[in-house]
Amino acid sequence: MNQQFRELCKDKNISPSITRESVYDYLDGNETHPTVDEIYKELKPKLPTLSKTTVYNILKLFTKEDIILEINTREHKKRYELNNEDHAHFTCDMCGQIYDLPKVEVNYNLGGFNGFHIKHEEVNLRGVCKDCRDK
Amino acid sequence: MNQQFRELCKDKNISPSITRESVYDYLDGNETHPTVDEIYKELKPKLPTLSKTTVYNILKLFTKEDIILEINTREHKKRYELNNEDHAHFTCDMCGQIYDLPKVEVNYNLGGFNGFHIKHEEVNLRGVCKDCRDK
DNA sequence: CCTTATATTGTAACTGTTACAATTTTATAA
DNA sequence: TTATAAAATTGTAACAGTTACAATATAAGG
């Protein structure tokens, strides 16, 4: 029983079902940025009645509540992570691995942003990671 | 006949077919960030034998050659634009419209980027656009 | 415990994308 | 130009990710 999750749900005014808690727990401390399918396959043994639709529903809810973030990459599927500290993503063009990198500071000094109310900034970097470069 | 495109193809060592030129021309000066389907539907009347697979092929080629950029949004489809001047994207949470905003400067002063060879940086902003805020 | 609301499930449909073999077109050189 | 090879385009079918939806199960509140 994850007390932190219970309180988070109270904050967000959603009910802390066991399924939701399982999805949350799986994402917590996970750095793999899993897909829906990966989350489903991981949880299925522990929750035998789990449906993939439920995973979709929960992820949509968590996204709406800003509990998690969708990661949009070049793959045509979404990946997910907990919305904890702000950071950038680096995707390796060679191996496809997604790395978490420190938050990058973004400057808006040039103007042209008037009237846009920016709620979220996402920095996606691409290139070659250390492992692949050394090969 | 787009001479600029011919030269671009010579640079990239690809052949400047009429279909490819049409896709290029459609994207040139277009600020709508169209999807594959939109590109296909737009060009079909002028190129009656056009196949959607061809559009996919051309976009994949252009992406590989850095002629165009894929835009990865929350939608589960890709959007495309010419790879001209570097700029940021702003997607409105209300209306879904994607705006081009000036390039934002990114600082990597915090460290933690050692070993990563960054070839491309993408800044995606999200929030509420002027039009939607005024409603 | 009853009633209502909410969460979960399974199925089927839908959409974006890719694989692939066949055909057409283009490029090249005799 | 014509023959030949290479490359581009096409249509079909398959595939993968996602969504819609009605039915069922579970939880919450009186």
Side-chain angles (χ1 to χ4, degrees), chain B residues 76-88:
Chain B
H76 91 291
K77 59 192 160 193
K78 290 175 181 157
R79 294 181 170 274
Y80 295 90
E81 68 180 352
L82 240 52
N83 185 13
N84 285 340
E85 346 91 87
D86 201 4
H87 60 272

Side-chain angles (χ1 to χ4, degrees), chain A residues 34-45:
Chain A
T35 62
V36 171
D37 207 59
E38 287 164 357
I39 297 169
Y40 172 73
K41 289 213 174 84
E42 178 72 23
L43 299 182
K44 184 72 173 171

Side-chain angles (χ1 to χ4, degrees), chain B residues 20-43:
Chain B
R20 288 173 181 172
E21 188 175 325
S22 300
V23 171
Y24 182 88
D25 284 347
Y26 177 57
L27 290 174
D28 195 12
N30 183 322
E31 301 202 349
T32 67
H33 315 95
T35 62
V36 170
D37 207 59
E38 286 164 357
I39 296 168
Y40 172 73
K41 288 212 174 86
E42 178 72 23
L43 299 181

Side-chain angles (χ1 to χ4, degrees), chain B residues 31-67:
Chain B
E31 301 202 349
T32 67
H33 315 95
T35 62
V36 170
D37 207 59
E38 286 164 357
I39 296 168
Y40 172 73
K41 288 212 174 86
E42 178 72 23
L43 299 181
K44 184 72 174 171
K46 286 149 194 160
L47 304 169
T49 69
L50 183 64
S51 159
K52 201 178 278 188
T53 301
T54 301
V55 179
Y56 274 102
N57 289 340
I58 292 175
L59 293 173
K60 179 177 279 186
L61 175 70
F62 282 4
T63 301
K64 186 164 75 73
E65 298 293 343
D66 292 318
I67 296 170

Side-chain angles (χ1 to χ4, degrees), chain A residues 15 17 19-20 49-51 53-54 57 76:
Chain A
S15 69
S17 76
T19 323
R20 288 173 182 172
T49 68
L50 183 64
S51 158
T53 302
T54 301
N57 289 341
H76 91 291

